[in-house]
Amino acid sequence: MVLDLPFIWAAIIAFAVLAYVILDGFDLGVGILFPFFKEKHDRDVMMNSVAPVWDGNETWLVLGGGGLMAVFPLAYATVLPALYMPLVLMLLGLIFRGVAFEYRWRTRRGEFLWDIAFAGGSMVAAFTQGVALGALVQGIPVENRAYAGGWWDWLTPFSIATGLALLIGYALLGATWLVMKTSGPLAERARGYALKAGIGTLVAMGVFSLWTPFLEPLYFERWFGWPTVAFSLLVPLLVLGCFALLVHGLRTQHDSRPFLAALGLFVLGFAGIGISFYPYIVPASLTIWQAAAPEESLAFLLVGAVVLVPMILGYTAYAYWVFRGKVDPEEGYH
């Protein structure tokens, strides 16, 4: 049996991106919500809830980005020039946010500066990720196997809207994480934010489900052609089911259900993007087979991935198991 290595690697990269979005999404969401909690004690607990896992969550970003460069070099060389600005801003946001985790605990006089770095870095990273996604969805012009657009082509109403939508979605993940990991008044306030962010996320998913098919004939055919139209009919029902589970969990204080429901919304959204894109890695320009590295390189790298990915999964699962349960508000990770 001959393995379709480009398809296998596309699935691995897609999994790494999804893992990053849902894992780093909630700790970015905690940072997005940071300005809405004024008490120092609340902020300390919020940071402590994600401090043991935030850096491990970003492993998936490294795997996704590095894997894209290694196994789909043409896509990497095409997408990166189109998205230099939002991606650089994203990395700067992640750097400021990461440094804030350590330095915020080392000072009292300058603590407010690291609060700003943590919240601002989280917001910038989330917004620019959404902008980059929107720019990719709306299409990247390619001629002679190279980016053929301008420096500011990524900046459009659609990409700005996707940036704002991802801010709301990450805020939902962050709020439901706080519901699951904290207690007392902090958790109660997080419930309120989770409901508001859940409504915002639901509205955003509806808006983009109506907007996206008209950006590109490929999307329209994929969403309304057979047999993928069956998925188009099923997704709204699944989204409403996840939203109902979210609301029910918040009202009945089943604290893990809202977080699982929020993850379900992101998985459904990601699946929709995947169905819209396939078989393209750069929509309507490059398929996964056109952008792939030579078969020998893909096979060699796959051996490493077979070892590395289970190790990352095992480490991640172990970290979440060790730090399971509610955060003790009187104790800290640091």
Side-chain angles (χ1 to χ4, degrees):
M1 182 179 66
V2 179
L3 295 177
D4 189 346
L5 294 177
F7 177 81
I8 293 172
W9 266 109
I12 293 173
I13 298 299
F15 175 77
V17 172
L18 176 61
Y20 171 76
V21 167
I22 62 178
L23 292 179
D24 206 35
F26 71 75
D27 58 58
L28 285 172
V30 170
I32 291 167
L33 294 173
F34 216 60
F36 298 96
F37 294 84
K38 304 299 183 183
E39 295 295 327
K40 176 184 175 348
H41 181 264
D42 287 345
R43 293 184 171 185
D44 290 346
V45 174
M46 291 169 71
M47 291 194 76
N48 282 332
S49 73
V50 296
V53 296
W54 75 271
D55 46 357
N57 293 341
E58 295 191 358
T59 304
W60 298 103
L61 179 63
V62 177
L63 177 62
L68 183 68
M69 180 182 68
V71 300
F72 296 111
L74 183 56
Y76 187 87
T78 302
V79 171
L80 213 64
L83 303 177
Y84 272 139
M85 180 61 77
L87 293 181
V88 168
L89 291 175
M90 178 195 76
L91 293 175
L92 289 173
L94 292 175
I95 290 170
F96 274 99
R97 176 175 160 273
V99 173
F101 267 102
E102 301 301 328
Y103 279 77
R104 182 179 180 274
W105 307 92
R106 304 288 184 246
T107 179
R108 287 290 174 263
R109 185 172 59 182
E111 185 179 60
F112 74 98
L113 294 175
W114 296 113
D115 286 348
I116 294 172
F118 180 64
S122 299
M123 291 179 185
V124 169
F127 178 71
T128 51
Q129 285 175 21
V131 167
L133 172 63
L136 184 61
V137 170
Q138 72 188 7
I140 293 176
V142 177
E143 292 181 9
N144 299 321
R145 296 165 61 88
Y147 175 58
W151 179 254
W152 296 102
D153 283 9
W154 56 270
L155 188 61
T156 66
F158 183 81
S159 66
I160 292 173
T162 54
L164 294 174
L166 196 60
L167 271 173
I168 297 170
Y170 279 174
L172 171 63
L173 288 176
T176 54
W177 172 262
L178 292 174
V179 169
M180 185 172 67
K181 296 294 290 184
T182 65
S183 56
L186 172 57
E188 290 304 314
R189 290 189 63 190
R191 289 181 205 281
Y193 289 128
L195 182 59
K196 293 175 183 177
I199 294 171
T201 301
L202 185 67
V203 171
M205 293 183 75
V207 168
F208 285 102
S209 294
L210 296 174
W211 192 349
T212 303
F214 296 96
L215 292 175
E216 176 67 44
L218 169 70
Y219 302 151
F220 191 90
E221 179 184 351
R222 192 59 54 82
W223 279 97
F224 300 108
W226 182 259
T228 48
V229 68
F231 184 78
S232 302
L233 297 174
L234 180 61
V235 163
L237 298 177
L238 294 175
V239 167
L240 290 175
C242 287
F243 182 74
L245 181 64
L246 170 72
V247 174
H248 182 266
L250 291 173
R251 289 180 174 175
T252 60
Q253 298 190 358
H254 287 88
D255 290 345
S256 62
R257 288 183 185 175
F259 184 66
L260 295 175
L263 293 183
L265 290 174
F266 269 79
V267 170
L268 288 170
F270 191 80
I273 293 172
I275 289 174
S276 298
F277 278 20
Y278 184 80
Y280 292 92
I281 193 167
V282 180
S285 297
L286 293 172
T287 68
I288 58 178
W289 295 276
Q290 291 171 333
E295 291 277 323
E296 295 79 4
S297 299
L298 298 181
F300 176 76
L301 291 167
L302 186 61
V303 174
V306 168
V307 176
L308 183 63
V309 172
M311 289 177 61
I312 299 174
L313 286 171
Y315 163 79
T316 302
Y318 179 71
Y320 280 90
W321 173 256
V322 169
F323 294 100
R324 66 191 182 277
K326 298 280 187 179
V327 174
D328 187 340
E330 303 306 322
E331 296 181 3
Y333 170 70
H334 288 77

